[in-house]
Amino acid sequence: MCHLKTIIPAILLTILYSWNTAGQNSDTSRVSLLFAGDIMGHNEQINGARDTTNGTYNYEPTFRFVKPVIEQADIAIANLEVTLAGPPFSGYPQFSSPDALAVAAKDAGFDVLILANNHALDRGAAGFKRTLRILDSLQIPHTGTFYDSADRKLNYPLMLEKNNIRIALLNYTYGTNGLEIKPPYIINRIDTDVIKRDLIAARQASPDYVIVTIHWGLEYERFANAQQKKLASFILSQGADAIIGSHPHVVQPVEFIVGADSAVTGLVVYSLGNYVSNQRAQYKDGGIMFNLGLVKTAAGTRIDSYSHTPTWVYRQDLAKKSVFYILPVSLYEQDSSLIELKEFDQYKLSRFANDTREHLNNIPEEKVVAGGR
C-alpha cells in the first residue's frame, strides 16, 4: 500500500513539475490504478451498518475482503453515488448515507472519490455542500462537484501524481434526476463544448495521462448504446487517453483504441457496474474493479497492463438487519471457507462470475488470492 501521492491544483503544476523532475534521469516509471463502480447506500445498507447499542455506523465489513486488493494499487478511485447530507439517513430515491461510509472507503484504500452522478443533488444545496465539506475534513480528494467557479478553476482537472507520473482526472454526469442547483455551486454535466475546453486545459497542464470518468448510458443495459459510443469517440478525439464509465449498475464491455504498432493507445470501460448496493437481481448484484497499469519512459506514457477483478455483493441476512460484503469472486472460489454462503448465495455468486467472464472475455481477469492479488 502506498498513499503518498500528491494532489496538485493545475495552477501549481508547472512549478512543482520543474521541482519534481530536477536531477531525475529517464528511468522507467510505473503506476497502478484501480477503478471501482457505484458505491450506493440503500436503506438496508444503512440499517445493516448501524450499531443499535450506541447509534453509530460501521461499514468496515463491506470493504473487508477487497481492502487488501485496493491497498495494492498506487491510486484507487471509486464513484460515491450518495450524498453525505447528514440525518435523517435514507436510501433510494434520495440518498443520504452516514459519514462512516466515506471513512470506511478511505480506510479500505480508496484515494479519490468522484462525485458527478445523478444522485449528487438528492439533498439539495445543503446536502451538496455538506458532502464536499465532509470529504475535505476527511482529506479525501474528490472531483466532479465544486463549491464555486473559483474552486473549479483551482482544482479542475484534478491532478494526481505518483511515481513521477502525473494524471489528469476529469468527471461528468448526464444529469441529476431533474434536480437543479443554483450558483455558486457547480456540478459537471456532459456538455461537449465544456468537455472540449476542459481537455484543452488538461493538456496544457502537461500531464502524462488523461482519464475521463463519466456517468452515462442507460440503467441495467448490458451493452453501450450509440450515444455512449459517439460521446466516447468525441472525448478520445479531444485528447483523453482513457474513459471509465458508471451509472448502468451492470457491467458493460471494454473497448480499446489500438495504434499502428498494435499497442493499446486508449480504452473505454463503458460501465464498472455496482460496487456495493442492495440491488439483488441478476447482473446488478456485483461489478468489477478495473486495474490499469501505466509505464512512462523517455518515449512517453502508455498502457502497460490491464485486467478486471469481478466482485459480488453478499448480503448476510441476520435476525434484525443485513450486513453487506464486497467479495472478490476468485478469492471465494479459491477458499470457500472465507465466509459461509448458503447454497442459493453460492449459486448467485457463480452466476454473476460466469456472466461477467463471458461478457469481458477480451479482458484478462486478475485473480485474487489470500492477502491481496
Side-chain angles (χ1 to χ4, degrees):
M1 176 182 178
C2 193
H3 297 299
L4 301 178
K5 58 191 69 62
T6 305
I7 310 302
I8 308 176
I11 194 169
L12 300 178
L13 183 62
T14 301
I15 298 173
L16 288 175
Y17 173 58
S18 299
W19 180 80
N20 284 334
T21 57
Q24 292 183 350
N25 56 31
S26 58
D27 289 348
T28 298
S29 300
R30 297 179 186 276
V31 67
S32 61
L33 298 102
L34 179 149
F35 298 90
D38 305 326
I39 297 178
M40 306 292 289
H42 291 101
N43 285 326
E44 294 82 357
Q45 295 169 255
I46 296 170
N47 182 59
R50 186 172 185 268
D51 185 336
T52 56
T53 62
N54 57 23
T56 61
Y57 293 84
N58 176 24
Y59 287 88
E60 183 277 332
T62 295
F63 299 96
R64 182 177 300 165
F65 297 110
V66 288
K67 180 177 180 177
V69 183
I70 300 167
E71 288 180 328
Q72 290 192 22
D74 292 317
I75 302 174
I77 301 168
N79 172 46
L80 184 65
E81 199 159 347
V82 298
T83 67
L84 304 174
F89 303 122
S90 66
Y92 183 84
Q94 293 185 309
F95 292 94
S96 178
S97 287
D99 303 344
L101 178 60
V103 172
K106 179 180 180 179
D107 288 346
F110 282 108
D111 304 292
V112 179
L113 295 174
I114 54 175
L115 304 179
N117 58 65
N118 60 307
H119 288 288
L121 304 184
D122 278 0
R123 290 296 187 89
F128 182 93
K129 182 178 180 180
R130 188 180 186 280
T131 301
L132 295 176
R133 284 180 28 235
I134 293 300
L135 295 179
D136 287 342
S137 71
L138 295 172
Q139 298 184 316
I140 302 175
H142 52 85
T143 194
T145 63
F146 307 91
Y147 293 106
D148 51 36
S149 58
D151 178 24
R152 191 181 192 275
K153 183 177 181 180
L154 181 64
N155 295 303
Y156 194 74
L158 181 64
M159 304 300 296
L160 310 172
E161 183 173 348
K162 181 65 182 176
N163 300 342
N164 193 37
I165 296 179
R166 299 178 315 283
I167 298 167
L169 183 69
L170 298 90
N171 181 220
Y172 305 90
T173 180
Y174 76 92
T176 51
N177 296 341
L179 301 173
E180 300 292 337
I181 196 167
K182 295 181 180 180
Y185 307 114
I186 296 173
I187 179 167
N188 283 348
R189 298 175 186 269
I190 295 173
D191 179 315
T192 53
D193 290 336
V194 172
I195 292 173
K196 181 177 181 178
R197 290 197 299 269
D198 290 343
L199 285 169
I200 290 172
R203 283 299 180 190
Q204 288 175 342
S206 300
D208 298 301
Y209 206 75
V210 177
I211 300 173
V212 173
T213 55
I214 190 162
H215 213 65
W216 62 355
L218 297 177
E219 288 185 318
Y220 318 129
E221 292 292 330
R222 298 186 71 215
F223 291 91
N225 60 30
Q227 288 181 318
Q228 285 171 276
K229 291 178 178 289
K230 181 178 180 180
L231 183 57
S233 178
F234 171 81
I235 291 172
L236 293 170
S237 74
Q238 298 302 310
D241 296 301
I243 301 170
I244 309 293
S246 58
H247 175 61
H249 301 300
V250 295
V251 176
Q252 292 184 341
V254 177
E255 292 183 356
F256 299 95
I257 310 301
V258 180
D261 59 353
S262 298
V264 175
T265 59
L267 64 86
V268 184
V269 181
Y270 281 103
S271 175
L272 296 164
N274 281 328
Y275 198 48
V276 62
S277 78
N278 189 48
Q279 294 186 332
R280 307 307 301 160
Q282 185 175 9
Y283 309 126
K284 306 174 190 176
D285 52 351
I288 63 168
M289 295 184 289
F290 191 82
N291 314 294
L292 180 64
L294 302 179
V295 60
K296 176 182 176 181
T297 66
T301 303
R302 59 178 174 82
I303 295 174
D304 184 49
S305 63
Y306 54 86
S307 62
H308 76 285
T309 306
T311 56
W312 182 73
V313 179
Y314 169 47
R315 187 182 73 186
Q316 182 184 38
D317 295 326
L318 304 176
K320 294 185 178 180
K321 66 179 183 180
S322 298
V323 181
F324 292 77
Y325 301 86
I326 307 169
L327 291 180
V329 167
S330 59
L331 182 61
Y332 179 80
E333 291 172 334
Q334 174 197 232
D335 182 9
S336 61
S337 67
L338 183 73
I339 191 167
E340 185 177 354
L341 300 185
K342 296 179 180 179
E343 185 175 350
F344 184 60
D345 289 318
Q346 293 176 16
Y347 162 75
K348 292 186 70 175
L349 181 147
S350 179
R351 180 180 66 179
F352 174 80
N354 292 335
D355 288 340
T356 303
R357 287 163 176 158
E358 180 180 358
H359 212 41
L360 298 179
N361 59 9
N362 64 325
I363 310 295
E365 179 180 343
E366 191 78 18
K367 300 290 186 179
V368 177
V369 297
R373 290 186 186 171

